[in-house]
Amino acid sequence: MVRGIKRGWGNSVFRWISGLFCRDVGIDLGTANVVVYVKGQGIVGNEPSVVAIKRMGQRGNEKVIAVGTEAKAMIGKTPHGVETVRPLQHGVIADYDMTESMIAHFLSLANGGRSQFAHPRVVICVPACVTEVERRAVIDATLGGGAREAYVVEEPVAAAIGAGLPIAEPRGNMVVDIGGGTSEVAVLSLGGIVIHEALRSAGDEMDQAIIAMLRQNYTLHVGEVTAEEIKLSVGSAMPYEGEEEEMEVKGRDLMDGLPKAVRIRAAEVRDALNPSISRIEDMIRDSLEETPPELARDIVDQGLVLTGGGAQLRGLPAYLQESLKIPVITAEKPLFSVALGVGKILEDLDAMKKVLISVDKGMQ
C-alpha cells in the first residue's frame, strides 16, 4: 500500500526541475554496509555504514570529515577530538544527523558529486520489524539528504525480489536475510509478507562473540575490524573437510597492556559463533511452524533462500539444511540481494508501488 503526504512547496520548483536531470536511486541502508543502486547503471557503491566526525567544541557541533570506507579505516585509530560513528544500530537510526549526512554522501556519489543540484527519487530499505516512527525517521533523513521523493520497501521483500523469487505468484517463498544488525525471515506470497520474524542476532553479534572469546581464552583485546576479519577468514557454522585453518591474531594483552599475538583455531571461532547461529536457526524454525500448510508445501519443494552478508559464513547453508530438513540455497549475490531487488523496483517503479510504503513530502 502506498501512502502519500504532500507538504508546502517552498523551493519545490527548483527541487522538481533538478530532479528531472537525476536518475532514480535505490539504497540498501544496512547496519554494516550501504549499497547504492542507480537506475540504468546498476550497483555504483558499496561502503561501510560509518561516519567519521570532528568535535567542534560542545556536543551537537560536529563536522563530518569522512564517510564509508575512509571512515571505517579510522575505527580505533582516531586522534583526540575525532570519532567514528555507526549511525544505524540493529537496522534503525541511532544518530539522525549522521544518517542524514551519510545518505547525502551516497546520493552525491550516485549523481557524480552533484549533491547540491541532484534531487532524485529514492527507494530505501528498512527491516520489516521497524515501527512507524522508525520508518518515518528513515524517510525524513532521506529527504533531508537531498531526495525529491522517498519510498520505503521492507528488506525481506527487496531481498526476495533480488534473489529472483516469484513473490507475486500464489506460492510460498521463504527468504532469510542475515545482515549486520538484524536477521529476518519472511514467507512471501502474492506480493506480500505472510509470516515474518526478526532477531537482533546477526553479523555484529557474531563479531562481539569473537571478541569475547579472545578476551576469555587469551586475555587478548581486539577491535571490531579485527573480529570481522577473523569471522571472514576462519569462521564457520560446522566443521569442513580437510585440515582446519589457524590464524594469527594481534591485539593488546589485557594483563600487562602490551601488544600481543596469538594463534587461534577455526574450531574456537566456530564455538564462539554457535550461540548466534542457533538463535537464527530457532527463528527460522518458529517461522516454519507458523507457516500455513499450503505455503509450507511449496517451501519443502523449493527450499529457503539465504541473503545478506551473514549468508556468506562458511558452512551455514549445509548446517541449516541438515537441522531444518529442507533445501537451503544461498542467493547468487547474497550481499547485494537487497540492492538488486531495489534496482528491479526502480526499473518499473510505478508498477511496483504495491510493494512499497511511501511518504512523499519531498516537495518542500
Side-chain angles (χ1 to χ4, degrees):
M1 184 177 73
V2 178
R3 296 192 294 269
I5 300 176
K6 298 287 185 181
R7 297 215 174 161
W9 280 76
N11 63 346
S12 60
V13 174
F14 169 75
R15 187 177 280 256
W16 180 79
I17 293 174
S18 63
L20 297 178
F21 301 98
C22 300
R23 294 179 182 269
D24 294 341
V25 176
I27 300 178
D28 174 11
L29 190 67
T31 303
N33 288 81
V34 176
V35 184
V36 181
Y37 186 104
V38 175
K39 182 178 179 179
Q41 296 181 13
I43 293 173
V44 299
N46 171 32
E47 296 192 42
S49 308
V50 183
V51 178
I53 59 174
K54 184 173 183 179
R55 299 286 183 192
M56 312 289 287
Q58 62 184 11
R59 186 169 182 82
N61 186 19
E62 299 94 6
K63 178 183 178 182
V64 175
I65 59 175
V67 178
T69 303
E70 185 180 353
K72 185 175 182 180
M74 299 180 183
I75 293 178
K77 304 175 183 178
T78 56
H80 179 71
V82 176
E83 297 179 26
T84 54
V85 179
R86 291 185 178 273
L88 294 118
Q89 298 292 332
H90 303 297
V92 299
I93 292 177
D95 188 320
Y96 179 86
D97 291 336
M98 292 302 104
T99 301
E100 185 176 301
S101 296
M102 188 169 67
I103 291 173
H105 166 81
F106 288 113
L107 289 182
S108 174
L109 173 70
N111 286 280
R114 301 186 304 272
S115 58
Q116 184 178 358
F117 304 104
H119 298 286
R121 295 190 299 178
V122 177
V123 176
I124 195 161
C125 295
V126 297
C129 57
V130 301
T131 65
E132 182 68 21
V133 172
E134 291 166 338
R135 185 182 297 122
R136 285 178 179 272
V138 171
I139 292 166
D140 288 343
T142 304
L143 293 165
R148 179 170 97 255
E149 297 178 17
Y151 298 89
V152 169
V153 60
E154 295 164 316
E155 282 182 11
V157 174
I161 294 172
L165 294 179
I167 67 168
E169 297 180 9
R171 182 194 308 181
N173 301 275
M174 179 174 253
V175 62
V176 179
D177 183 44
I178 306 173
T182 58
S183 296
E184 295 187 275
V185 57
V187 176
L188 303 103
S189 178
L190 293 171
I193 294 176
V194 180
I195 300 293
H196 174 261
E197 296 279 347
L199 186 67
R200 292 185 175 181
S201 179
D204 289 349
E205 186 188 75
M206 294 180 189
D207 295 342
Q208 292 301 318
I210 293 172
I211 291 172
M213 180 272 290
L214 291 169
R215 180 186 292 267
Q216 180 176 347
N217 294 358
Y218 297 97
T219 65
L220 184 72
H221 180 58
V222 301
E224 296 174 4
V225 174
T226 300
E228 185 179 21
E229 290 173 354
I230 294 169
K231 179 181 66 180
L232 295 175
S233 298
V234 298
S236 64
M238 61 189 303
Y240 44 88
E241 294 182 3
E243 185 177 352
E244 293 208 334
E245 301 170 0
E246 292 186 352
M247 179 179 179
E248 184 178 66
V249 180
K250 301 172 183 177
R252 177 166 56 84
D253 193 329
L254 292 170
M255 300 299 290
D256 57 21
L258 298 177
K260 176 181 177 180
V262 300
R263 293 196 69 81
I264 63 171
R265 294 174 289 109
E268 295 176 280
V269 178
R270 184 166 57 251
D271 289 343
L273 298 178
N274 185 65
S276 297
I277 295 170
S278 294
R279 281 192 283 274
I280 293 171
E281 176 195 344
D282 291 341
M283 173 188 68
I284 300 171
R285 194 181 298 276
D286 291 343
S287 297
L288 288 169
E289 290 174 357
E290 296 176 15
T291 301
E294 293 300 319
L295 298 181
R297 183 182 67 176
D298 297 330
I299 295 169
V300 169
D301 290 338
Q302 65 187 36
L304 67 85
V305 175
L306 290 176
T307 67
Q312 300 175 104
L313 182 66
R314 190 184 316 187
L316 183 59
Y319 172 88
L320 292 174
Q321 183 164 308
E322 183 178 301
S323 61
L324 299 172
K325 311 301 181 188
I326 59 174
V328 177
I329 304 151
T330 302
E332 184 177 351
K333 297 180 179 178
L335 187 62
F336 300 133
S337 292
V338 172
L340 291 171
V342 172
K344 291 181 180 179
I345 293 170
L346 283 175
E347 297 301 331
D348 196 2
L349 186 56
D350 291 334
M352 295 295 288
K353 281 185 178 178
K354 61 185 178 182
V355 302
L356 300 174
I357 301 170
S358 169
V359 180
D360 174 8
K361 54 180 182 180
M363 299 298 186
Q364 305 186 59

